[in-house]
mmCIF file of all heavy atoms in Angstrom:
data_model
loop_
_atom_site.group_PDB
_atom_site.id
_atom_site.type_symbol
_atom_site.label_atom_id
_atom_site.label_comp_id
_atom_site.label_asym_id
_atom_site.label_seq_id
_atom_site.Cartn_x
_atom_site.Cartn_y
_atom_site.Cartn_z
ATOM 1 N N ALA A 19 94.361 127.930 74.292
ATOM 2 C CA ALA A 19 95.484 127.003 74.146
ATOM 3 C C ALA A 19 96.441 127.129 75.331
ATOM 4 O O ALA A 19 96.972 126.121 75.828
ATOM 5 C CB ALA A 19 96.225 127.272 72.835
ATOM 6 N N ARG A 20 96.663 128.346 75.798
ATOM 7 C CA ARG A 20 97.542 128.542 76.954
ATOM 8 C C ARG A 20 96.935 127.949 78.222
ATOM 9 O O ARG A 20 97.659 127.479 79.107
ATOM 10 C CB ARG A 20 97.819 130.032 77.147
ATOM 11 C CG ARG A 20 98.806 130.591 76.137
ATOM 12 C CD ARG A 20 99.013 132.061 76.301
ATOM 13 N NE ARG A 20 100.023 132.551 75.351
ATOM 14 C CZ ARG A 20 100.239 133.829 75.084
ATOM 15 N NH1 ARG A 20 99.508 134.767 75.694
ATOM 16 N NH2 ARG A 20 101.178 134.185 74.219
ATOM 17 N N GLN A 21 95.613 127.968 78.301
ATOM 18 C CA GLN A 21 94.949 127.340 79.439
ATOM 19 C C GLN A 21 95.243 125.838 79.467
ATOM 20 O O GLN A 21 95.595 125.280 80.513
ATOM 21 C CB GLN A 21 93.436 127.581 79.345
ATOM 22 C CG GLN A 21 92.629 126.830 80.370
ATOM 23 C CD GLN A 21 91.148 126.822 80.031
ATOM 24 O OE1 GLN A 21 90.314 126.868 80.924
ATOM 25 N NE2 GLN A 21 90.807 126.763 78.767
ATOM 26 N N ILE A 22 95.114 125.189 78.307
ATOM 27 C CA ILE A 22 95.398 123.755 78.218
ATOM 28 C C ILE A 22 96.877 123.496 78.494
ATOM 29 O O ILE A 22 97.244 122.542 79.189
ATOM 30 C CB ILE A 22 94.991 123.229 76.829
ATOM 31 C CG1 ILE A 22 93.495 123.454 76.592
ATOM 32 C CG2 ILE A 22 95.326 121.753 76.690
ATOM 33 C CD1 ILE A 22 93.041 123.144 75.185
ATOM 34 N N GLN A 23 97.721 124.349 77.956
ATOM 35 C CA GLN A 23 99.155 124.219 78.177
ATOM 36 C C GLN A 23 99.489 124.337 79.668
ATOM 37 O O GLN A 23 100.314 123.577 80.201
ATOM 38 C CB GLN A 23 99.895 125.299 77.380
ATOM 39 C CG GLN A 23 101.406 125.186 77.395
ATOM 40 C CD GLN A 23 102.052 126.317 76.621
ATOM 41 O OE1 GLN A 23 101.757 127.496 76.858
ATOM 42 N NE2 GLN A 23 102.918 125.984 75.688
ATOM 43 N N SER A 24 98.846 125.266 80.359
ATOM 44 C CA SER A 24 99.082 125.452 81.791
ATOM 45 C C SER A 24 98.638 124.238 82.597
ATOM 46 O O SER A 24 99.265 123.887 83.602
ATOM 47 C CB SER A 24 98.354 126.703 82.288
ATOM 48 O OG SER A 24 98.842 127.862 81.664
ATOM 49 N N LEU A 25 97.560 123.593 82.154
ATOM 50 C CA LEU A 25 97.108 122.379 82.837
ATOM 51 C C LEU A 25 98.154 121.277 82.695
ATOM 52 O O LEU A 25 98.487 120.592 83.683
ATOM 53 C CB LEU A 25 95.771 121.903 82.257
ATOM 54 C CG LEU A 25 95.279 120.556 82.793
ATOM 55 C CD1 LEU A 25 94.959 120.654 84.277
ATOM 56 C CD2 LEU A 25 94.077 120.060 82.015
ATOM 57 N N TYR A 26 98.668 121.084 81.488
ATOM 58 C CA TYR A 26 99.699 120.067 81.291
ATOM 59 C C TYR A 26 100.945 120.381 82.130
ATOM 60 O O TYR A 26 101.578 119.477 82.684
ATOM 61 C CB TYR A 26 100.073 119.973 79.810
ATOM 62 C CG TYR A 26 98.962 119.450 78.922
ATOM 63 C CD1 TYR A 26 98.851 119.848 77.589
ATOM 64 C CD2 TYR A 26 98.010 118.562 79.418
ATOM 65 C CE1 TYR A 26 97.834 119.370 76.773
ATOM 66 C CE2 TYR A 26 96.987 118.079 78.604
ATOM 67 C CZ TYR A 26 96.902 118.491 77.291
ATOM 68 O OH TYR A 26 95.894 118.020 76.492
ATOM 69 N N GLU A 27 101.289 121.663 82.199
ATOM 70 C CA GLU A 27 102.453 122.069 82.996
ATOM 71 C C GLU A 27 102.222 121.778 84.476
ATOM 72 O O GLU A 27 103.132 121.311 85.184
ATOM 73 C CB GLU A 27 102.727 123.566 82.791
ATOM 74 C CG GLU A 27 104.014 124.067 83.417
ATOM 75 C CD GLU A 27 105.245 123.507 82.741
ATOM 76 O OE1 GLU A 27 105.210 123.273 81.516
ATOM 77 O OE2 GLU A 27 106.256 123.298 83.447
ATOM 78 N N TYR A 28 101.019 122.034 84.934
ATOM 79 C CA TYR A 28 100.656 121.759 86.331
ATOM 80 C C TYR A 28 100.728 120.259 86.616
ATOM 81 O O TYR A 28 101.307 119.822 87.620
ATOM 82 C CB TYR A 28 99.252 122.296 86.593
ATOM 83 C CG TYR A 28 98.718 122.073 87.983
ATOM 84 C CD1 TYR A 28 99.448 122.469 89.105
ATOM 85 C CD2 TYR A 28 97.477 121.485 88.188
ATOM 86 C CE1 TYR A 28 98.950 122.285 90.383
ATOM 87 C CE2 TYR A 28 96.971 121.292 89.461
ATOM 88 C CZ TYR A 28 97.711 121.697 90.554
ATOM 89 O OH TYR A 28 97.214 121.504 91.821
ATOM 90 N N ASP A 29 100.147 119.463 85.717
ATOM 91 C CA ASP A 29 100.166 118.010 85.892
ATOM 92 C C ASP A 29 101.602 117.477 85.866
ATOM 93 O O ASP A 29 101.967 116.590 86.653
ATOM 94 C CB ASP A 29 99.347 117.331 84.793
ATOM 95 C CG ASP A 29 97.843 117.537 84.975
ATOM 96 O OD1 ASP A 29 97.446 117.959 86.084
ATOM 97 O OD2 ASP A 29 97.081 117.286 84.029
ATOM 98 N N LYS A 30 102.415 118.014 84.962
ATOM 99 C CA LYS A 30 103.807 117.566 84.863
ATOM 100 C C LYS A 30 104.573 117.886 86.142
ATOM 101 O O LYS A 30 105.367 117.073 86.632
ATOM 102 C CB LYS A 30 104.482 118.239 83.663
ATOM 103 C CG LYS A 30 105.913 117.780 83.427
ATOM 104 C CD LYS A 30 106.574 118.545 82.308
ATOM 105 C CE LYS A 30 106.975 119.938 82.761
ATOM 106 N NZ LYS A 30 107.794 120.645 81.753
ATOM 107 N N THR A 31 104.319 119.066 86.709
ATOM 108 C CA THR A 31 105.003 119.471 87.934
ATOM 109 C C THR A 31 104.646 118.552 89.093
ATOM 110 O O THR A 31 105.516 118.149 89.874
ATOM 111 C CB THR A 31 104.635 120.929 88.286
ATOM 112 O OG1 THR A 31 104.928 121.780 87.168
ATOM 113 C CG2 THR A 31 105.449 121.413 89.474
ATOM 114 N N ILE A 32 103.362 118.206 89.212
ATOM 115 C CA ILE A 32 102.930 117.303 90.288
ATOM 116 C C ILE A 32 103.561 115.923 90.112
ATOM 117 O O ILE A 32 104.086 115.327 91.066
ATOM 118 C CB ILE A 32 101.394 117.189 90.314
ATOM 119 C CG1 ILE A 32 100.759 118.527 90.698
ATOM 120 C CG2 ILE A 32 100.953 116.114 91.307
ATOM 121 C CD1 ILE A 32 99.246 118.514 90.650
ATOM 122 N N LEU A 33 103.523 115.411 88.887
ATOM 123 C CA LEU A 33 104.064 114.077 88.623
ATOM 124 C C LEU A 33 105.558 114.020 88.917
ATOM 125 O O LEU A 33 106.039 113.089 89.587
ATOM 126 C CB LEU A 33 103.794 113.695 87.166
ATOM 127 C CG LEU A 33 104.317 112.328 86.708
ATOM 128 C CD1 LEU A 33 103.685 111.214 87.517
ATOM 129 C CD2 LEU A 33 104.054 112.129 85.226
ATOM 130 N N HIS A 34 106.312 115.011 88.450
ATOM 131 C CA HIS A 34 107.749 115.028 88.682
ATOM 132 C C HIS A 34 108.067 115.192 90.164
ATOM 133 O O HIS A 34 109.052 114.619 90.659
ATOM 134 C CB HIS A 34 108.407 116.146 87.866
ATOM 135 C CG HIS A 34 108.488 115.826 86.404
ATOM 136 N ND1 HIS A 34 109.179 116.610 85.506
ATOM 137 C CD2 HIS A 34 107.986 114.809 85.689
ATOM 138 C CE1 HIS A 34 109.091 116.084 84.298
ATOM 139 N NE2 HIS A 34 108.364 114.991 84.384
ATOM 140 N N ALA A 35 107.269 115.982 90.878
ATOM 141 C CA ALA A 35 107.491 116.155 92.315
ATOM 142 C C ALA A 35 107.322 114.829 93.047
ATOM 143 O O ALA A 35 108.129 114.470 93.919
ATOM 144 C CB ALA A 35 106.520 117.195 92.870
ATOM 145 N N TYR A 36 106.279 114.089 92.695
ATOM 146 C CA TYR A 36 106.036 112.786 93.333
ATOM 147 C C TYR A 36 107.186 111.823 93.030
ATOM 148 O O TYR A 36 107.699 111.138 93.919
ATOM 149 C CB TYR A 36 104.707 112.201 92.837
ATOM 150 C CG TYR A 36 104.409 110.823 93.388
ATOM 151 C CD1 TYR A 36 103.762 110.664 94.603
ATOM 152 C CD2 TYR A 36 104.798 109.677 92.685
ATOM 153 C CE1 TYR A 36 103.504 109.399 95.117
ATOM 154 C CE2 TYR A 36 104.547 108.413 93.189
ATOM 155 C CZ TYR A 36 103.893 108.279 94.401
ATOM 156 O OH TYR A 36 103.658 107.031 94.908
ATOM 157 N N LEU A 37 107.602 111.775 91.754
ATOM 158 C CA LEU A 37 108.676 110.859 91.362
ATOM 159 C C LEU A 37 109.997 111.239 92.019
ATOM 160 O O LEU A 37 110.785 110.365 92.391
ATOM 161 C CB LEU A 37 108.818 110.846 89.839
ATOM 162 C CG LEU A 37 107.634 110.265 89.061
ATOM 163 C CD1 LEU A 37 107.859 110.416 87.565
ATOM 164 C CD2 LEU A 37 107.413 108.804 89.423
ATOM 165 N N ASP A 38 110.256 112.545 92.164
ATOM 166 C CA ASP A 38 111.479 113.002 92.836
ATOM 167 C C ASP A 38 111.563 112.437 94.249
ATOM 168 O O ASP A 38 112.594 111.891 94.664
ATOM 169 C CB ASP A 38 111.515 114.533 92.903
ATOM 170 C CG ASP A 38 111.927 115.150 91.577
ATOM 171 O OD1 ASP A 38 112.423 114.414 90.711
ATOM 172 O OD2 ASP A 38 111.731 116.370 91.414
ATOM 173 N N VAL A 39 110.461 112.591 94.993
ATOM 174 C CA VAL A 39 110.455 112.126 96.380
ATOM 175 C C VAL A 39 110.579 110.604 96.435
ATOM 176 O O VAL A 39 111.346 110.056 97.233
ATOM 177 C CB VAL A 39 109.177 112.596 97.105
ATOM 178 C CG1 VAL A 39 109.129 112.034 98.520
ATOM 179 C CG2 VAL A 39 109.122 114.115 97.151
ATOM 180 N N ALA A 40 109.829 109.908 95.575
ATOM 181 C CA ALA A 40 109.879 108.445 95.570
ATOM 182 C C ALA A 40 111.294 107.938 95.249
ATOM 183 O O ALA A 40 111.799 107.012 95.901
ATOM 184 C CB ALA A 40 108.870 107.894 94.568
ATOM 185 N N ASN A 41 111.937 108.533 94.260
ATOM 186 C CA ASN A 41 113.293 108.115 93.895
ATOM 187 C C ASN A 41 114.291 108.410 95.012
ATOM 188 O O ASN A 41 115.159 107.589 95.313
ATOM 189 C CB ASN A 41 113.734 108.830 92.616
ATOM 190 C CG ASN A 41 113.000 108.322 91.385
ATOM 191 O OD1 ASN A 41 112.478 107.211 91.380
ATOM 192 N ND2 ASN A 41 112.941 109.139 90.355
ATOM 193 N N LEU A 42 114.167 109.577 95.615
ATOM 194 C CA LEU A 42 115.121 109.966 96.662
ATOM 195 C C LEU A 42 114.922 109.155 97.933
ATOM 196 O O LEU A 42 115.894 108.885 98.659
ATOM 197 C CB LEU A 42 114.987 111.463 96.947
ATOM 198 C CG LEU A 42 115.519 112.377 95.843
ATOM 199 C CD1 LEU A 42 115.115 113.820 96.080
ATOM 200 C CD2 LEU A 42 117.043 112.266 95.742
ATOM 201 N N MET A 43 113.683 108.776 98.227
ATOM 202 C CA MET A 43 113.453 107.900 99.382
ATOM 203 C C MET A 43 114.198 106.579 99.207
ATOM 204 O O MET A 43 114.847 106.082 100.139
ATOM 205 C CB MET A 43 111.950 107.627 99.533
ATOM 206 C CG MET A 43 111.156 108.755 100.132
ATOM 207 S SD MET A 43 109.382 108.373 100.143
ATOM 208 C CE MET A 43 109.372 106.888 101.164
ATOM 209 N N SER A 44 114.124 106.030 98.004
ATOM 210 C CA SER A 44 114.843 104.794 97.717
ATOM 211 C C SER A 44 116.355 105.028 97.767
ATOM 212 O O SER A 44 117.111 104.195 98.288
ATOM 213 C CB SER A 44 114.434 104.272 96.340
ATOM 214 O OG SER A 44 115.196 103.144 95.974
ATOM 215 N N LYS A 45 116.801 106.177 97.254
ATOM 216 C CA LYS A 45 118.229 106.483 97.225
ATOM 217 C C LYS A 45 118.795 106.636 98.628
ATOM 218 O O LYS A 45 119.924 106.206 98.905
ATOM 219 C CB LYS A 45 118.467 107.754 96.411
ATOM 220 C CG LYS A 45 119.939 108.066 96.184
ATOM 221 C CD LYS A 45 120.112 109.283 95.293
ATOM 222 C CE LYS A 45 121.590 109.579 95.052
ATOM 223 N NZ LYS A 45 121.789 110.764 94.186
ATOM 224 N N VAL A 46 118.024 107.234 99.540
ATOM 225 C CA VAL A 46 118.488 107.399 100.924
ATOM 226 C C VAL A 46 118.780 106.037 101.554
ATOM 227 O O VAL A 46 119.822 105.834 102.192
ATOM 228 C CB VAL A 46 117.437 108.166 101.754
ATOM 229 C CG1 VAL A 46 117.746 108.040 103.244
ATOM 230 C CG2 VAL A 46 117.431 109.638 101.373
#
């Protein structure tokens, strides 16, 4: 279960990182 949880955490981190950059590029 922790393995699956870690995968979701990894995917969430990548997705949020991409959205952070995309939003900030527009904000600049």
